[in-house]
Amino acid sequence: MPRILIVEDEDIIRSAVRKLLLHAGYEVDDVGSVEEAEQNHDPDQFDLIISDLRLPGAAGTELINRAPNTPVLIMTSYASLRSAVDSMKMGAVEYIAKPFDHDEMLAAVESILARTMSATPERQGETGLPSENGDPASIMYGQCEAMQRVFTLIRKVAPTETTVLVQGESGTGKELVARALHLLSPRAAKPLISVNCAAIPESLIESELFGHEKGAFTGAVSARTGLIEAADGGSLFLDEIGELPAEAQARLLRVLQESEIRKVGSTQSRKVNVRMIAATHRNLKAMTRTGEFREDLYYRLNVMQIRIPPLRERQSDILGLARRFLARLGEKVGKPNLNLSPEAMRALERHRWPGNVRELENAIERASILCDGDVITPSLLDLDSEDGDEYIPETLVEGNHQQLPSRDADSANDLSLEDYFQHFVLENQDRMSETELAQKLGISRKSLWERRQRLGIPRKKTSGN
């Protein structure tokens, strides 16, 4: 059984990671600092060390030197991405950004241990891990036909060098698809660098991605390696790529076309060997029509597209996912015997899940904490707060059927509210102002704008709006 040492000074995080790994079958010890790790243990006797980057006393990266034979996984925040790059250069096998998904952490641990064991033949088989540790079915859950198609596509495209665009609403698990693509590829032994483009200030995005030279701008007191260069030999996952500003889009296009980068403030370029995986919840094709996203970059990224279905299209997976979360989260809060009442199961199946799998996990976690007994009821799930958003105005349902894409009456009745909204706006935005669209939809202009943002339908840049 693999031994893992957690080095984290925040009690809540340390306890959560410990419980997660114990439940996954690992042997776990935990301490609050590098000094405590050396006082109470021999760090080099563990199979893996998971350490926070910032710790009281010595930094987590110090463990790379003090345990040279043990792989070190660094935990950091998006605000510390530069430090994460530095930790990779110092010898960390991987980093994971906080807040991290439980499945993401388990997949990272599984990947590192599998690579370590495969590099040491006499220890192979000790982990009890499957031979294909990057198989999507071991990282994501999905029994429905739509998810099985996703898994099949991942297995086919992962071994190639093809650039992949992952499409899906927020909360569907796009980052898990990227991890599966990386772990099933020949690049699995190299880093997977994940970047949330929406989480980095626009003024810093070019410096973060491409690096910068000393003096390139105010505050650039030393040269920095960019995240793309840090991913050299491995994979780069750009989440929410639709948020990239125009200048960064042009630079990224050069990376895809020429396989080279140029740091901010530098006149010299250098070659990089990176497999690009991008993800977005927005409609990039529509954004190219409004000039918000470069058309040439879109076609470079969209060589292979993987669409992750929203949870409302995975009806048969809802209860399976719920039970999976319940088993893990019940253990986490000290209630291993929790189960769902029949009424709660029906409530889960009826809910629209606008927040997708992430919303489901949050609902189960909340219910697990609030439940006094062993049975979770509908009231604990608290799923009724969005009922008021299910109103479909008569002008949309009855008066404008001729403006919807051609389909029979039965299929039109099967459309969700978001489907109606998306079809109506795309079909009518060229001839209606924003005010007219909002009036026809029975919502305010502000609500129209918010829904455009959520569904990735950019507003047309015309003087009539």
Side-chain angles (χ1 to χ4, degrees), residues 103 136-144 147-148 151 172 176 314 316-325 357:
D103 288 338
S138 69
I139 297 173
M140 309 169 68
Y141 175 87
Q143 300 296 322
C144 69
M147 286 303 293
Q148 289 300 310
F151 292 168
T172 50
L176 296 179
R314 301 171 54 189
S316 61
D317 280 346
I318 292 174
L319 292 183
L321 279 165
R323 293 188 183 102
R324 187 183 187 190
F325 292 141
V357 178

mmCIF file with all atom_site columns, all heavy atoms in Angstrom, residues 103 136-144 147-148 151 172 176 314 316-325 357:
data_model
loop_
_atom_site.group_PDB
_atom_site.id
_atom_site.type_symbol
_atom_site.label_atom_id
_atom_site.label_alt_id
_atom_site.label_comp_id
_atom_site.label_asym_id
_atom_site.label_entity_id
_atom_site.label_seq_id
_atom_site.pdbx_PDB_ins_code
_atom_site.Cartn_x
_atom_site.Cartn_y
_atom_site.Cartn_z
_atom_site.occupancy
_atom_site.B_iso_or_equiv
_atom_site.pdbx_formal_charge
_atom_site.auth_seq_id
_atom_site.auth_comp_id
_atom_site.auth_asym_id
_atom_site.auth_atom_id
_atom_site.pdbx_PDB_model_num
ATOM 1   N N   . ASP A 1 103 ? -11.730 14.665 -7.316  1.00 0.00 ? 103 ASP A N   1
ATOM 2   C CA  . ASP A 1 103 ? -11.338 13.741 -8.377  1.00 0.00 ? 103 ASP A CA  1
ATOM 3   C C   . ASP A 1 103 ? -10.021 14.170 -9.012  1.00 0.00 ? 103 ASP A C   1
ATOM 4   O O   . ASP A 1 103 ? -9.199  13.337 -9.410  1.00 0.00 ? 103 ASP A O   1
ATOM 5   C CB  . ASP A 1 103 ? -12.426 13.660 -9.454  1.00 0.00 ? 103 ASP A CB  1
ATOM 6   C CG  . ASP A 1 103 ? -13.652 12.910 -8.961  1.00 0.00 ? 103 ASP A CG  1
ATOM 7   O OD1 . ASP A 1 103 ? -13.521 12.127 -8.009  1.00 0.00 ? 103 ASP A OD1 1
ATOM 8   O OD2 . ASP A 1 103 ? -14.741 13.121 -9.520  1.00 0.00 ? 103 ASP A OD2 1
ATOM 9   N N   . PRO A 1 136 ? -10.307 7.451  -18.884 1.00 0.00 ? 136 PRO A N   1
ATOM 10  C CA  . PRO A 1 136 ? -11.300 8.427  -18.413 1.00 0.00 ? 136 PRO A CA  1
ATOM 11  C C   . PRO A 1 136 ? -12.298 7.848  -17.429 1.00 0.00 ? 136 PRO A C   1
ATOM 12  O O   . PRO A 1 136 ? -12.769 8.545  -16.528 1.00 0.00 ? 136 PRO A O   1
ATOM 13  C CB  . PRO A 1 136 ? -11.978 8.899  -19.710 1.00 0.00 ? 136 PRO A CB  1
ATOM 14  C CG  . PRO A 1 136 ? -11.629 7.871  -20.741 1.00 0.00 ? 136 PRO A CG  1
ATOM 15  C CD  . PRO A 1 136 ? -10.294 7.339  -20.345 1.00 0.00 ? 136 PRO A CD  1
ATOM 16  N N   . ALA A 1 137 ? -12.641 6.567  -17.577 1.00 0.00 ? 137 ALA A N   1
ATOM 17  C CA  . ALA A 1 137 ? -13.615 5.960  -16.677 1.00 0.00 ? 137 ALA A CA  1
ATOM 18  C C   . ALA A 1 137 ? -13.095 5.843  -15.252 1.00 0.00 ? 137 ALA A C   1
ATOM 19  O O   . ALA A 1 137 ? -13.880 5.670  -14.314 1.00 0.00 ? 137 ALA A O   1
ATOM 20  C CB  . ALA A 1 137 ? -14.023 4.584  -17.201 1.00 0.00 ? 137 ALA A CB  1
ATOM 21  N N   . SER A 1 138 ? -11.763 5.939  -15.066 1.00 0.00 ? 138 SER A N   1
ATOM 22  C CA  . SER A 1 138 ? -11.212 5.892  -13.713 1.00 0.00 ? 138 SER A CA  1
ATOM 23  C C   . SER A 1 138 ? -11.112 7.275  -13.098 1.00 0.00 ? 138 SER A C   1
ATOM 24  O O   . SER A 1 138 ? -10.834 7.417  -11.911 1.00 0.00 ? 138 SER A O   1
ATOM 25  C CB  . SER A 1 138 ? -9.813  5.243  -13.735 1.00 0.00 ? 138 SER A CB  1
ATOM 26  O OG  . SER A 1 138 ? -8.880  6.088  -14.384 1.00 0.00 ? 138 SER A OG  1
ATOM 27  N N   . ILE A 1 139 ? -11.340 8.315  -13.904 1.00 0.00 ? 139 ILE A N   1
ATOM 28  C CA  . ILE A 1 139 ? -11.254 9.693  -13.434 1.00 0.00 ? 139 ILE A CA  1
ATOM 29  C C   . ILE A 1 139 ? -12.627 10.338 -13.335 1.00 0.00 ? 139 ILE A C   1
ATOM 30  O O   . ILE A 1 139 ? -12.907 11.102 -12.417 1.00 0.00 ? 139 ILE A O   1
ATOM 31  C CB  . ILE A 1 139 ? -10.353 10.510 -14.382 1.00 0.00 ? 139 ILE A CB  1
ATOM 32  C CG1 . ILE A 1 139 ? -8.931  9.943  -14.364 1.00 0.00 ? 139 ILE A CG1 1
ATOM 33  C CG2 . ILE A 1 139 ? -10.343 11.983 -13.998 1.00 0.00 ? 139 ILE A CG2 1
ATOM 34  C CD1 . ILE A 1 139 ? -8.018  10.578 -15.379 1.00 0.00 ? 139 ILE A CD1 1
ATOM 35  N N   . MET A 1 140 ? -13.497 10.021 -14.300 1.00 0.00 ? 140 MET A N   1
ATOM 36  C CA  . MET A 1 140 ? -14.834 10.599 -14.351 1.00 0.00 ? 140 MET A CA  1
ATOM 37  C C   . MET A 1 140 ? -15.873 9.490  -14.262 1.00 0.00 ? 140 MET A C   1
ATOM 38  O O   . MET A 1 140 ? -15.596 8.348  -14.615 1.00 0.00 ? 140 MET A O   1
ATOM 39  C CB  . MET A 1 140 ? -15.024 11.371 -15.674 1.00 0.00 ? 140 MET A CB  1
ATOM 40  C CG  . MET A 1 140 ? -13.929 12.354 -15.990 1.00 0.00 ? 140 MET A CG  1
ATOM 41  S SD  . MET A 1 140 ? -14.043 12.991 -17.686 1.00 0.00 ? 140 MET A SD  1
ATOM 42  C CE  . MET A 1 140 ? -15.554 13.956 -17.570 1.00 0.00 ? 140 MET A CE  1
ATOM 43  N N   . TYR A 1 141 ? -17.067 9.873  -13.814 1.00 0.00 ? 141 TYR A N   1
ATOM 44  C CA  . TYR A 1 141 ? -18.165 8.908  -13.768 1.00 0.00 ? 141 TYR A CA  1
ATOM 45  C C   . TYR A 1 141 ? -19.118 9.200  -14.918 1.00 0.00 ? 141 TYR A C   1
ATOM 46  O O   . TYR A 1 141 ? -19.470 10.352 -15.162 1.00 0.00 ? 141 TYR A O   1
ATOM 47  C CB  . TYR A 1 141 ? -18.917 8.999  -12.440 1.00 0.00 ? 141 TYR A CB  1
ATOM 48  C CG  . TYR A 1 141 ? -20.134 8.103  -12.377 1.00 0.00 ? 141 TYR A CG  1
ATOM 49  C CD1 . TYR A 1 141 ? -20.028 6.782  -11.960 1.00 0.00 ? 141 TYR A CD1 1
ATOM 50  C CD2 . TYR A 1 141 ? -21.391 8.573  -12.758 1.00 0.00 ? 141 TYR A CD2 1
ATOM 51  C CE1 . TYR A 1 141 ? -21.131 5.948  -11.912 1.00 0.00 ? 141 TYR A CE1 1
ATOM 52  C CE2 . TYR A 1 141 ? -22.508 7.751  -12.713 1.00 0.00 ? 141 TYR A CE2 1
ATOM 53  C CZ  . TYR A 1 141 ? -22.368 6.442  -12.289 1.00 0.00 ? 141 TYR A CZ  1
ATOM 54  O OH  . TYR A 1 141 ? -23.474 5.621  -12.245 1.00 0.00 ? 141 TYR A OH  1
ATOM 55  N N   . GLY A 1 142 ? -19.549 8.162  -15.597 1.00 0.00 ? 142 GLY A N   1
ATOM 56  C CA  . GLY A 1 142 ? -20.525 8.351  -16.659 1.00 0.00 ? 142 GLY A CA  1
ATOM 57  C C   . GLY A 1 142 ? -20.952 7.036  -17.264 1.00 0.00 ? 142 GLY A C   1
ATOM 58  O O   . GLY A 1 142 ? -20.188 6.423  -18.010 1.00 0.00 ? 142 GLY A O   1
ATOM 59  N N   . GLN A 1 143 ? -22.160 6.597  -16.936 1.00 0.00 ? 143 GLN A N   1
ATOM 60  C CA  . GLN A 1 143 ? -22.693 5.352  -17.484 1.00 0.00 ? 143 GLN A CA  1
ATOM 61  C C   . GLN A 1 143 ? -23.603 5.590  -18.680 1.00 0.00 ? 143 GLN A C   1
ATOM 62  O O   . GLN A 1 143 ? -23.883 4.662  -19.441 1.00 0.00 ? 143 GLN A O   1
ATOM 63  C CB  . GLN A 1 143 ? -23.488 4.597  -16.398 1.00 0.00 ? 143 GLN A CB  1
ATOM 64  C CG  . GLN A 1 143 ? -22.656 4.220  -15.176 1.00 0.00 ? 143 GLN A CG  1
ATOM 65  C CD  . GLN A 1 143 ? -21.552 3.238  -15.509 1.00 0.00 ? 143 GLN A CD  1
ATOM 66  O OE1 . GLN A 1 143 ? -21.738 2.339  -16.317 1.00 0.00 ? 143 GLN A OE1 1
ATOM 67  N NE2 . GLN A 1 143 ? -20.390 3.415  -14.902 1.00 0.00 ? 143 GLN A NE2 1
ATOM 68  N N   . CYS A 1 144 ? -24.062 6.827  -18.850 1.00 0.00 ? 144 CYS A N   1
ATOM 69  C CA  . CYS A 1 144 ? -24.999 7.113  -19.933 1.00 0.00 ? 144 CYS A CA  1
ATOM 70  C C   . CYS A 1 144 ? -24.289 7.046  -21.283 1.00 0.00 ? 144 CYS A C   1
ATOM 71  O O   . CYS A 1 144 ? -23.054 7.117  -21.369 1.00 0.00 ? 144 CYS A O   1
ATOM 72  C CB  . CYS A 1 144 ? -25.651 8.484  -19.738 1.00 0.00 ? 144 CYS A CB  1
ATOM 73  S SG  . CYS A 1 144 ? -24.517 9.879  -19.949 1.00 0.00 ? 144 CYS A SG  1
ATOM 74  N N   . MET A 1 147 ? -21.881 10.037 -22.196 1.00 0.00 ? 147 MET A N   1
ATOM 75  C CA  . MET A 1 147 ? -20.571 10.029 -21.548 1.00 0.00 ? 147 MET A CA  1
ATOM 76  C C   . MET A 1 147 ? -19.694 8.891  -22.065 1.00 0.00 ? 147 MET A C   1
ATOM 77  O O   . MET A 1 147 ? -18.469 9.036  -22.158 1.00 0.00 ? 147 MET A O   1
ATOM 78  C CB  . MET A 1 147 ? -20.731 9.932  -20.032 1.00 0.00 ? 147 MET A CB  1
ATOM 79  C CG  . MET A 1 147 ? -21.205 11.222 -19.375 1.00 0.00 ? 147 MET A CG  1
ATOM 80  S SD  . MET A 1 147 ? -20.120 12.640 -19.708 1.00 0.00 ? 147 MET A SD  1
ATOM 81  C CE  . MET A 1 147 ? -18.633 12.170 -18.827 1.00 0.00 ? 147 MET A CE  1
ATOM 82  N N   . GLN A 1 148 ? -20.292 7.783  -22.420 1.00 0.00 ? 148 GLN A N   1
ATOM 83  C CA  . GLN A 1 148 ? -19.516 6.692  -22.998 1.00 0.00 ? 148 GLN A CA  1
ATOM 84  C C   . GLN A 1 148 ? -18.911 7.114  -24.335 1.00 0.00 ? 148 GLN A C   1
ATOM 85  O O   . GLN A 1 148 ? -17.782 6.734  -24.663 1.00 0.00 ? 148 GLN A O   1
ATOM 86  C CB  . GLN A 1 148 ? -20.396 5.450  -23.174 1.00 0.00 ? 148 GLN A CB  1
ATOM 87  C CG  . GLN A 1 148 ? -20.784 4.767  -21.861 1.00 0.00 ? 148 GLN A CG  1
ATOM 88  C CD  . GLN A 1 148 ? -19.570 4.292  -21.081 1.00 0.00 ? 148 GLN A CD  1
ATOM 89  O OE1 . GLN A 1 148 ? -18.701 3.620  -21.631 1.00 0.00 ? 148 GLN A OE1 1
ATOM 90  N NE2 . GLN A 1 148 ? -19.515 4.640  -19.803 1.00 0.00 ? 148 GLN A NE2 1
ATOM 91  N N   . PHE A 1 151 ? -15.897 9.181  -23.449 1.00 0.00 ? 151 PHE A N   1
ATOM 92  C CA  . PHE A 1 151 ? -14.774 8.325  -23.047 1.00 0.00 ? 151 PHE A CA  1
ATOM 93  C C   . PHE A 1 151 ? -14.097 7.695  -24.272 1.00 0.00 ? 151 PHE A C   1
ATOM 94  O O   . PHE A 1 151 ? -12.872 7.623  -24.347 1.00 0.00 ? 151 PHE A O   1
ATOM 95  C CB  . PHE A 1 151 ? -15.251 7.226  -22.106 1.00 0.00 ? 151 PHE A CB  1
ATOM 96  C CG  . PHE A 1 151 ? -15.711 7.721  -20.756 1.00 0.00 ? 151 PHE A CG  1
ATOM 97  C CD1 . PHE A 1 151 ? -16.397 6.887  -19.890 1.00 0.00 ? 151 PHE A CD1 1
ATOM 98  C CD2 . PHE A 1 151 ? -15.462 9.015  -20.349 1.00 0.00 ? 151 PHE A CD2 1
ATOM 99  C CE1 . PHE A 1 151 ? -16.827 7.332  -18.652 1.00 0.00 ? 151 PHE A CE1 1
ATOM 100 C CE2 . PHE A 1 151 ? -15.882 9.479  -19.104 1.00 0.00 ? 151 PHE A CE2 1
ATOM 101 C CZ  . PHE A 1 151 ? -16.572 8.633  -18.262 1.00 0.00 ? 151 PHE A CZ  1
ATOM 102 N N   . THR A 1 172 ? -19.135 20.952 -15.592 1.00 0.00 ? 172 THR A N   1
ATOM 103 C CA  . THR A 1 172 ? -19.332 19.649 -16.233 1.00 0.00 ? 172 THR A CA  1
ATOM 104 C C   . THR A 1 172 ? -18.108 18.737 -16.119 1.00 0.00 ? 172 THR A C   1
ATOM 105 O O   . THR A 1 172 ? -18.207 17.540 -16.382 1.00 0.00 ? 172 THR A O   1
ATOM 106 C CB  . THR A 1 172 ? -19.682 19.815 -17.731 1.00 0.00 ? 172 THR A CB  1
ATOM 107 O OG1 . THR A 1 172 ? -18.740 20.690 -18.348 1.00 0.00 ? 172 THR A OG1 1
ATOM 108 C CG2 . THR A 1 172 ? -21.086 20.379 -17.897 1.00 0.00 ? 172 THR A CG2 1
ATOM 109 N N   . LEU A 1 176 ? -11.202 17.557 -15.864 1.00 0.00 ? 176 LEU A N   1
ATOM 110 C CA  . LEU A 1 176 ? -10.964 16.118 -15.744 1.00 0.00 ? 176 LEU A CA  1
ATOM 111 C C   . LEU A 1 176 ? -10.729 15.485 -17.111 1.00 0.00 ? 176 LEU A C   1
ATOM 112 O O   . LEU A 1 176 ? -9.945  14.538 -17.251 1.00 0.00 ? 176 LEU A O   1
ATOM 113 C CB  . LEU A 1 176 ? -12.147 15.445 -15.041 1.00 0.00 ? 176 LEU A CB  1
ATOM 114 C CG  . LEU A 1 176 ? -12.383 15.862 -13.587 1.00 0.00 ? 176 LEU A CG  1
ATOM 115 C CD1 . LEU A 1 176 ? -13.598 15.138 -13.015 1.00 0.00 ? 176 LEU A CD1 1
ATOM 116 C CD2 . LEU A 1 176 ? -11.161 15.594 -12.729 1.00 0.00 ? 176 LEU A CD2 1
ATOM 117 N N   . ARG A 1 314 ? -27.886 14.007 -18.861 1.00 0.00 ? 314 ARG A N   1
ATOM 118 C CA  . ARG A 1 314 ? -27.343 12.743 -18.353 1.00 0.00 ? 314 ARG A CA  1
ATOM 119 C C   . ARG A 1 314 ? -28.262 12.197 -17.260 1.00 0.00 ? 314 ARG A C   1
ATOM 120 O O   . ARG A 1 314 ? -27.818 11.850 -16.169 1.00 0.00 ? 314 ARG A O   1
ATOM 121 C CB  . ARG A 1 314 ? -25.937 12.968 -17.788 1.00 0.00 ? 314 ARG A CB  1
ATOM 122 C CG  . ARG A 1 314 ? -24.950 13.513 -18.775 1.00 0.00 ? 314 ARG A CG  1
ATOM 123 C CD  . ARG A 1 314 ? -23.641 13.905 -18.091 1.00 0.00 ? 314 ARG A CD  1
ATOM 124 N NE  . ARG A 1 314 ? -23.073 12.807 -17.312 1.00 0.00 ? 314 ARG A NE  1
ATOM 125 C CZ  . ARG A 1 314 ? -22.042 12.935 -16.481 1.00 0.00 ? 314 ARG A CZ  1
ATOM 126 N NH1 . ARG A 1 314 ? -21.472 14.116 -16.320 1.00 0.00 ? 314 ARG A NH1 1
ATOM 127 N NH2 . ARG A 1 314 ? -21.587 11.898 -15.813 1.00 0.00 ? 314 ARG A NH2 1
ATOM 128 N N   . SER A 1 316 ? -29.730 9.465  -16.576 1.00 0.00 ? 316 SER A N   1
ATOM 129 C CA  . SER A 1 316 ? -29.458 8.163  -15.962 1.00 0.00 ? 316 SER A CA  1
ATOM 130 C C   . SER A 1 316 ? -28.207 8.169  -15.086 1.00 0.00 ? 316 SER A C   1
ATOM 131 O O   . SER A 1 316 ? -27.962 7.210  -14.344 1.00 0.00 ? 316 SER A O   1
ATOM 132 C CB  . SER A 1 316 ? -29.313 7.091  -17.049 1.00 0.00 ? 316 SER A CB  1
ATOM 133 O OG  . SER A 1 316 ? -28.229 7.397  -17.927 1.00 0.00 ? 316 SER A OG  1
ATOM 134 N N   . ASP A 1 317 ? -27.407 9.239  -15.145 1.00 0.00 ? 317 ASP A N   1
ATOM 135 C CA  . ASP A 1 317 ? -26.188 9.320  -14.338 1.00 0.00 ? 317 ASP A CA  1
ATOM 136 C C   . ASP A 1 317 ? -26.388 10.044 -13.010 1.00 0.00 ? 317 ASP A C   1
ATOM 137 O O   . ASP A 1 317 ? -25.520 9.990  -12.138 1.00 0.00 ? 317 ASP A O   1
ATOM 138 C CB  . ASP A 1 317 ? -25.080 10.050 -15.110 1.00 0.00 ? 317 ASP A CB  1
ATOM 139 C CG  . ASP A 1 317 ? -24.374 9.157  -16.112 1.00 0.00 ? 317 ASP A CG  1
ATOM 140 O OD1 . ASP A 1 317 ? -24.543 7.928  -16.026 1.00 0.00 ? 317 ASP A OD1 1
ATOM 141 O OD2 . ASP A 1 317 ? -23.661 9.692  -16.978 1.00 0.00 ? 317 ASP A OD2 1
ATOM 142 N N   . ILE A 1 318 ? -27.508 10.751 -12.868 1.00 0.00 ? 318 ILE A N   1
ATOM 143 C CA  . ILE A 1 318 ? -27.677 11.631 -11.709 1.00 0.00 ? 318 ILE A CA  1
ATOM 144 C C   . ILE A 1 318 ? -27.583 10.869 -10.395 1.00 0.00 ? 318 ILE A C   1
ATOM 145 O O   . ILE A 1 318 ? -26.822 11.239 -9.496  1.00 0.00 ? 318 ILE A O   1
ATOM 146 C CB  . ILE A 1 318 ? -29.008 12.407 -11.809 1.00 0.00 ? 318 ILE A CB  1
ATOM 147 C CG1 . ILE A 1 318 ? -28.940 13.411 -12.968 1.00 0.00 ? 318 ILE A CG1 1
ATOM 148 C CG2 . ILE A 1 318 ? -29.309 13.135 -10.500 1.00 0.00 ? 318 ILE A CG2 1
ATOM 149 C CD1 . ILE A 1 318 ? -30.237 14.132 -13.250 1.00 0.00 ? 318 ILE A CD1 1
ATOM 150 N N   . LEU A 1 319 ? -28.349 9.790  -10.259 1.00 0.00 ? 319 LEU A N   1
ATOM 151 C CA  . LEU A 1 319 ? -28.337 9.055  -8.991  1.00 0.00 ? 319 LEU A CA  1
ATOM 152 C C   . LEU A 1 319 ? -27.005 8.351  -8.766  1.00 0.00 ? 319 LEU A C   1
ATOM 153 O O   . LEU A 1 319 ? -26.537 8.241  -7.622  1.00 0.00 ? 319 LEU A O   1
ATOM 154 C CB  . LEU A 1 319 ? -29.495 8.056  -8.946  1.00 0.00 ? 319 LEU A CB  1
ATOM 155 C CG  . LEU A 1 319 ? -30.892 8.669  -8.882  1.00 0.00 ? 319 LEU A CG  1
ATOM 156 C CD1 . LEU A 1 319 ? -31.956 7.577  -8.756  1.00 0.00 ? 319 LEU A CD1 1
ATOM 157 C CD2 . LEU A 1 319 ? -31.013 9.640  -7.713  1.00 0.00 ? 319 LEU A CD2 1
ATOM 158 N N   . GLY A 1 320 ? -26.383 7.858  -9.822  1.00 0.00 ? 320 GLY A N   1
ATOM 159 C CA  . GLY A 1 320 ? -25.071 7.229  -9.676  1.00 0.00 ? 320 GLY A CA  1
ATOM 160 C C   . GLY A 1 320 ? -24.035 8.220  -9.167  1.00 0.00 ? 320 GLY A C   1
ATOM 161 O O   . GLY A 1 320 ? -23.232 7.902  -8.277  1.00 0.00 ? 320 GLY A O   1
ATOM 162 N N   . LEU A 1 321 ? -24.038 9.427  -9.734  1.00 0.00 ? 321 LEU A N   1
ATOM 163 C CA  . LEU A 1 321 ? -23.133 10.474 -9.258  1.00 0.00 ? 321 LEU A CA  1
ATOM 164 C C   . LEU A 1 321 ? -23.446 10.849 -7.819  1.00 0.00 ? 321 LEU A C   1
ATOM 165 O O   . LEU A 1 321 ? -22.538 11.021 -6.995  1.00 0.00 ? 321 LEU A O   1
ATOM 166 C CB  . LEU A 1 321 ? -23.263 11.712 -10.155 1.00 0.00 ? 321 LEU A CB  1
ATOM 167 C CG  . LEU A 1 321 ? -22.492 11.700 -11.471 1.00 0.00 ? 321 LEU A CG  1
ATOM 168 C CD1 . LEU A 1 321 ? -23.004 12.800 -12.399 1.00 0.00 ? 321 LEU A CD1 1
ATOM 169 C CD2 . LEU A 1 321 ? -21.000 11.883 -11.233 1.00 0.00 ? 321 LEU A CD2 1
ATOM 170 N N   . ALA A 1 322 ? -24.742 10.975 -7.512  1.00 0.00 ? 322 ALA A N   1
ATOM 171 C CA  . ALA A 1 322 ? -25.151 11.350 -6.158  1.00 0.00 ? 322 ALA A CA  1
ATOM 172 C C   . ALA A 1 322 ? -24.663 10.327 -5.137  1.00 0.00 ? 322 ALA A C   1
ATOM 173 O O   . ALA A 1 322 ? -24.153 10.683 -4.070  1.00 0.00 ? 322 ALA A O   1
ATOM 174 C CB  . ALA A 1 322 ? -26.664 11.499 -6.084  1.00 0.00 ? 322 ALA A CB  1
ATOM 175 N N   . ARG A 1 323 ? -24.801 9.054  -5.451  1.00 0.00 ? 323 ARG A N   1
ATOM 176 C CA  . ARG A 1 323 ? -24.360 8.013  -4.515  1.00 0.00 ? 323 ARG A CA  1
ATOM 177 C C   . ARG A 1 323 ? -22.834 8.025  -4.372  1.00 0.00 ? 323 ARG A C   1
ATOM 178 O O   . ARG A 1 323 ? -22.305 7.779  -3.285  1.00 0.00 ? 323 ARG A O   1
ATOM 179 C CB  . ARG A 1 323 ? -24.840 6.640  -5.006  1.00 0.00 ? 323 ARG A CB  1
ATOM 180 C CG  . ARG A 1 323 ? -26.361 6.474  -4.960  1.00 0.00 ? 323 ARG A CG  1
ATOM 181 C CD  . ARG A 1 323 ? -26.766 5.038  -5.267  1.00 0.00 ? 323 ARG A CD  1
ATOM 182 N NE  . ARG A 1 323 ? -28.209 4.901  -5.294  1.00 0.00 ? 323 ARG A NE  1
ATOM 183 C CZ  . ARG A 1 323 ? -28.938 4.831  -6.398  1.00 0.00 ? 323 ARG A CZ  1
ATOM 184 N NH1 . ARG A 1 323 ? -28.345 4.883  -7.590  1.00 0.00 ? 323 ARG A NH1 1
ATOM 185 N NH2 . ARG A 1 323 ? -30.255 4.704  -6.339  1.00 0.00 ? 323 ARG A NH2 1
ATOM 186 N N   . ARG A 1 324 ? -22.156 8.299  -5.453  1.00 0.00 ? 324 ARG A N   1
ATOM 187 C CA  . ARG A 1 324 ? -20.692 8.372  -5.401  1.00 0.00 ? 324 ARG A CA  1
ATOM 188 C C   . ARG A 1 324 ? -20.254 9.511  -4.485  1.00 0.00 ? 324 ARG A C   1
ATOM 189 O O   . ARG A 1 324 ? -19.360 9.349  -3.639  1.00 0.00 ? 324 ARG A O   1
ATOM 190 C CB  . ARG A 1 324 ? -20.160 8.586  -6.820  1.00 0.00 ? 324 ARG A CB  1
ATOM 191 C CG  . ARG A 1 324 ? -18.651 8.505  -6.935  1.00 0.00 ? 324 ARG A CG  1
ATOM 192 C CD  . ARG A 1 324 ? -18.215 8.797  -8.356  1.00 0.00 ? 324 ARG A CD  1
ATOM 193 N NE  . ARG A 1 324 ? -16.794 8.570  -8.543  1.00 0.00 ? 324 ARG A NE  1
ATOM 194 C CZ  . ARG A 1 324 ? -16.120 8.913  -9.617  1.00 0.00 ? 324 ARG A CZ  1
ATOM 195 N NH1 . ARG A 1 324 ? -16.749 9.491  -10.618 1.00 0.00 ? 324 ARG A NH1 1
ATOM 196 N NH2 . ARG A 1 324 ? -14.825 8.679  -9.718  1.00 0.00 ? 324 ARG A NH2 1
ATOM 197 N N   . PHE A 1 325 ? -20.869 10.685 -4.654  1.00 0.00 ? 325 PHE A N   1
ATOM 198 C CA  . PHE A 1 325 ? -20.545 11.815 -3.796  1.00 0.00 ? 325 PHE A CA  1
ATOM 199 C C   . PHE A 1 325 ? -20.938 11.530 -2.345  1.00 0.00 ? 325 PHE A C   1
ATOM 200 O O   . PHE A 1 325 ? -20.231 11.909 -1.412  1.00 0.00 ? 325 PHE A O   1
ATOM 201 C CB  . PHE A 1 325 ? -21.256 13.081 -4.288  1.00 0.00 ? 325 PHE A CB  1
ATOM 202 C CG  . PHE A 1 325 ? -20.750 13.597 -5.605  1.00 0.00 ? 325 PHE A CG  1
ATOM 203 C CD1 . PHE A 1 325 ? -21.631 14.117 -6.550  1.00 0.00 ? 325 PHE A CD1 1
ATOM 204 C CD2 . PHE A 1 325 ? -19.405 13.566 -5.918  1.00 0.00 ? 325 PHE A CD2 1
ATOM 205 C CE1 . PHE A 1 325 ? -21.177 14.598 -7.765  1.00 0.00 ? 325 PHE A CE1 1
ATOM 206 C CE2 . PHE A 1 325 ? -18.929 14.037 -7.135  1.00 0.00 ? 325 PHE A CE2 1
ATOM 207 C CZ  . PHE A 1 325 ? -19.820 14.562 -8.056  1.00 0.00 ? 325 PHE A CZ  1
ATOM 208 N N   . VAL A 1 357 ? -22.466 19.051 -12.577 1.00 0.00 ? 357 VAL A N   1
ATOM 209 C CA  . VAL A 1 357 ? -21.957 18.079 -11.598 1.00 0.00 ? 357 VAL A CA  1
ATOM 210 C C   . VAL A 1 357 ? -21.448 18.785 -10.354 1.00 0.00 ? 357 VAL A C   1
ATOM 211 O O   . VAL A 1 357 ? -21.610 18.295 -9.235  1.00 0.00 ? 357 VAL A O   1
ATOM 212 C CB  . VAL A 1 357 ? -20.837 17.219 -12.226 1.00 0.00 ? 357 VAL A CB  1
ATOM 213 C CG1 . VAL A 1 357 ? -20.268 16.246 -11.198 1.00 0.00 ? 357 VAL A CG1 1
ATOM 214 C CG2 . VAL A 1 357 ? -21.371 16.452 -13.432 1.00 0.00 ? 357 VAL A CG2 1
#
